[in-house]
Amino acid sequence: MRKSTASGTLRYLLTCWKLNAAGAMEFRLSFFLTAGMMFINNCIWLVFWGIFFTKFPVVNGWELRDVMLMWAVAAGGFGWANMLFGNFTRVAAITAAGQLDVYLTQPKPVLLSVLASRMSLMAIGDFMFGWVIYGLVGDHSLRGLALFMLGLLISGLLIMFFTLVANSLAFYIGNAEGLAFQVFNGFLALTTYPTDIFRGGVRIILFTLVPAGFISYIPIGLLGGIQDSFLIGALGITALVAGIGIAFFYHGLRRYTSGNQLGIRS
């Protein structure tokens, strides 16, 4: 029974992703322009970092290669999460508008249906950027590839579920779209700065309440040589944030009031 349920859920996800990709490719010019502009935007940031490191080759043990890999992990993780589960940034807007009704009538898990029903075109550029940077400066051994993919997994899950927690505030305070967007942007920004430039209470926060530090430290604590304490902490905090995000969403869902709207999912 469980095997058939898991198989059905996987087929459902694959169908969602196939339809999302087909919809994106229907407007090919828009697809390539949107993804390409995000790719270029990330490259511009690395140009600024490159200029900085020509003046200061090493900053608290960080070199340009480490910062490039940090951006690769952050952008790549955000990319795959937003490609496959692109609605995690829009849960607050969907909830406030009373548009969850269509997902509540479907036999699949509500949260899974919500998250997988949209693909972000911008995120494709981020995902490609991550792999291009890895190709340029990463460790191309089998072990290096596996560690980079693990870094992408940790990064994407942390970004997705931390953002989901912020978006689920809509169940409790009404229109939380603006607040969730600010939290999301702030979290992303913190993933693109070397963790070791922060000290004291700020550093503690980056590894606890706002666990962006686990993403930005991946080039040092994972890709540069596995630090057992960091890896255990990163896996543990990722599981914790995912669990909190899922529980918070479903607890809030009990408070949801139908939008009384008739329509189909687009």
Side-chain angles (χ1 to χ4, degrees):
M1 183 69 177
R2 290 182 179 179
K3 184 177 293 187
S4 62
T5 301
S7 176
T9 300
L10 179 59
R11 287 197 302 271
Y12 169 75
L13 279 176
L14 291 175
T15 301
C16 283
W17 294 336
K18 179 181 177 180
L19 293 175
N20 288 340
M25 292 305 295
E26 190 171 339
F27 304 96
R28 287 178 174 80
L29 181 60
S30 174
F31 166 78
F32 288 115
L33 285 177
T34 304
M37 289 304 297
M38 184 52 63
F39 186 96
I40 293 172
N41 177 73
N42 291 336
C43 290
I44 291 173
W45 276 103
L46 285 189
V47 169
F48 287 127
W49 277 111
I51 295 172
F52 175 84
F53 276 96
T54 59
K55 299 291 185 181
F56 310 96
V58 180
V59 179
N60 286 347
W62 286 71
E63 300 177 353
L64 178 59
R65 177 180 179 274
D66 299 320
V67 172
M68 292 177 70
L69 285 173
M70 177 185 67
W71 270 81
V73 168
F78 169 78
W80 76 255
N82 229 336
M83 285 167 56
L84 301 183
F85 304 102
N87 257 344
F88 73 86
T89 61
R90 301 181 65 250
V91 170
I94 292 171
T95 302
Q99 296 175 352
L100 282 178
D101 300 26
V102 65
Y103 301 102
L104 293 174
T105 61
Q106 296 175 359
K108 302 304 177 186
V110 177
L111 179 57
L112 188 64
S113 295
V114 173
L115 297 182
S117 62
R118 177 177 176 269
M119 170 187 287
S120 169
L121 296 182
M122 289 192 307
I124 298 172
D126 285 305
F127 186 67
M128 291 171 56
F129 171 83
W131 280 102
V132 168
I133 297 302
Y134 168 75
L136 291 175
V137 300
D139 176 2
H140 300 155
S141 67
L142 187 60
R143 178 178 180 275
L145 175 62
L147 290 178
F148 181 71
M149 293 179 67
L150 177 59
L152 290 183
L153 179 64
I154 292 172
S155 172
L157 290 176
L158 280 176
I159 292 171
M160 178 166 58
F161 285 108
F162 188 84
T163 304
L164 176 63
V165 171
N167 275 263
S168 295
L169 289 173
F171 291 115
Y172 303 92
I173 64 176
N175 190 355
E177 186 176 0
L179 175 61
F181 182 73
Q182 294 300 324
V183 170
F184 166 67
N185 276 342
F187 187 85
L188 275 188
L190 290 172
T191 65
T192 57
Y193 287 92
T195 313
D196 290 319
I197 68 174
F198 300 102
R199 291 286 183 268
V202 175
R203 186 178 176 87
I204 294 174
I205 291 173
L206 286 177
F207 285 96
T208 52
L209 296 178
V210 186
F214 283 102
I215 298 176
S216 59
Y217 196 71
I218 283 175
I220 304 297
L222 185 63
L223 305 183
I226 298 177
Q227 298 177 9
D228 292 340
S229 58
F230 170 76
L231 179 58
I232 293 172
L235 293 176
I237 201 70
T238 300
L240 178 62
V241 172
I244 291 174
I246 294 170
F248 200 45
F249 174 85
Y250 278 107
H251 182 271
L253 189 61
R254 300 174 187 172
R255 304 165 57 93
Y256 174 70
T257 302
S258 171
N260 294 319
Q261 297 179 357
L262 295 177
I264 61 174
R265 194 180 77 189
S266 59

